[in-house]
Amino acid sequence: MTAIDTRTQARNLLAEASAIFTRNGIDSPELDAELLLAAAAGVDRTRLLAGCWSADRECVRRFHLLVERRAAREPIAYIVGRKEFYGLDFEVGPTVLIPRPETELLVDCALKILRARPGSRVLDIGTGSGAIAVAIAVHAPDAEVTATDLSAAALELAARNVRHHGCGLRINLFVGDLFAALPCSHQKYDLIVSNPPYVREEDIAQLDPEVARYEPQMALSGGKDGLDFYRRLAAEAASYLRPRGEVIVEVGAGQAAEVAGLLEAGGCRAVETLRDLAGHERAVRARLAH
Ligand code: SAM
Ligand code: GLN
């Protein structure tokens, strides 16, 4: 088949898939169709659009299966098994939350703090895919990072991302509930970061089907009022911080003031509320009070 034939065939396949996605309420039908056709063809999107691939029958069959999954609102990242975060490529799958671009703000803030504290120890609680821990380790090469998660399956995937980015010697992974995951030697940290589950239980069903049906409940549910995880983290964080140690936690809409209050009650002094590019309060930064 010539490149022109391939482009015509691609146009037809893409038009058919986009129409299905539009009928199923998907926001970016054309882009999603292109990403899935590229995945089925085993090429990147640029090569796909240039016609530098061939659509044999097997490729078309693969594409139709991927389209069916996306039409059922499975997230693209789970279908292709990858997601970019902080300019780095991560493996993702149904055992972990898909890292969100908003969470890059937490990494920006962490790196700013670490530049002023060389050789720091960092703790990432609820690391999921390992996105935050890896982004910090890659960009702060003198930091020593510990990352934990209650989900053993998530940590297995995080371990692959850690190896993929060559951070195996600088990121330690531990499975378990909050601070109980840590080995009993009472290590203290310069910085604790966390993007915890913070969605109110009753709100989960109203989230987009991509989130509500496919992402792990354990990564989303912050209990009745969404604040369960912060309550527990704030009560213990101070005893795991070195002098002038800091905490940065991502928060959901409308949670910043309450989370700052919890951290203050736990012995920290709230320093700053960070806003994302859309102007929404997105993270709270606090420092050990003494
Ligand atoms: N840090 C990742 C990110 O930003 O993409 C994942 C964040 S996800 C919102 C929250 C993570 O916390 C999930 O991986 C979940 O398994 C983990 N988690 C939930 N409860 C936990 C607990 N009690 N102790 C430790 N981790 C927990
Ligand atoms: N930001 C996620 C969402 O869009 C929630 C993740 C979390 O609970 N930390 O639903």
Side-chain angles (χ1 to χ4, degrees):
M1 219 185 321
T2 66
I4 294 176
D5 293 334
T6 303
R7 278 201 293 269
T8 308
Q9 191 190 18
R11 251 200 312 278
N12 294 338
L13 289 169
L14 292 172
E16 181 197 352
S18 302
I20 295 172
F21 293 162
T22 304
R23 277 202 301 281
N24 284 276
I26 288 164
D27 286 344
S28 47
E30 287 91 9
L31 175 65
D32 287 9
E34 286 168 13
L35 292 169
L36 293 183
L37 186 52
V43 295
D44 64 23
R45 211 170 131 237
T46 318
R47 288 178 71 82
L48 177 88
L49 299 179
C52 307
W53 57 290
S54 71
D56 54 24
R57 208 189 297 190
E58 186 49 29
C59 166
V60 173
R61 195 188 65 84
R62 274 198 303 274
F63 178 60
H64 282 144
L65 289 176
L66 302 185
V67 169
E68 218 171 278
R69 288 170 65 182
R70 183 68 189 114
R73 304 295 294 264
E74 184 171 347
I76 285 277
Y78 287 157
I79 298 175
V80 302
R82 315 233 47 110
K83 177 73 183 177
E84 189 189 303
F85 178 79
Y86 217 79
L88 301 166
D89 171 56
F90 286 90
E91 176 187 339
V92 293
T95 57
V96 300
L97 186 98
I98 300 164
R100 309 288 204 261
E102 306 87 89
T103 304
E104 295 184 351
L105 185 71
L106 211 81
V107 177
D108 282 338
C109 181
L111 293 175
K112 205 166 74 191
I113 292 169
L114 295 175
R115 273 193 286 276
R117 287 176 85 118
S120 284
R121 284 202 193 105
V122 181
L123 173 61
D124 173 21
I125 301 184
T127 198
S129 62
I132 296 173
V134 168
I136 290 177
V138 166
H139 291 279
D142 61 349
E144 188 189 310
V145 182
T146 296
T148 72
D149 207 288
L150 184 56
S151 157
L155 268 196
E156 265 172 45
L157 188 147
R160 290 198 288 277
N161 283 322
V162 167
R163 280 197 298 275
H164 177 70
H165 289 287
C167 299
L169 295 178
R170 280 191 308 114
I171 302 183
N172 293 306
L173 299 169
F174 297 107
V175 69
D177 184 18
L178 290 186
F179 296 97
L182 300 171
C184 35
S185 67
H186 200 114
Q187 182 86 73
K188 299 208 178 201
Y189 299 88
D190 298 275
L191 176 63
I192 298 174
V193 292
S194 184
N195 171 19
Y198 55 62
V199 183
R200 292 195 316 175
E201 227 158 60
E202 63 176 35
D203 292 346
I204 293 180
Q206 273 96 60
L207 298 175
D208 286 341
E210 282 82 354
V211 182
R213 283 192 215 145
Y214 289 92
E215 298 206 85
Q217 291 285 309
M218 201 202 283
L220 297 171
S221 176
K224 239 183 164 44
D225 64 357
L227 300 174
D228 277 4
F229 197 98
Y230 301 107
R231 264 187 215 98
R232 298 181 53 215
L233 179 114
E236 285 194 75
S239 57
Y240 287 87
L241 286 172
R242 279 178 164 173
R244 302 194 61 254
E246 303 216 24
V247 180
I248 319 169
V249 285
E250 181 165 317
V251 296
Q255 293 176 329
E258 276 173 291
V259 170
L262 289 169
L263 286 163
E264 285 176 0
C268 291
R269 185 166 294 140
V271 179
E272 202 182 353
T273 295
L274 306 165
R275 289 177 186 271
D276 61 21
L277 292 175
H280 301 126
E281 293 181 336
R282 183 52 68 181
V284 173
R285 176 178 166 193
R287 179 178 299 138
L288 199 59
H290 33 253

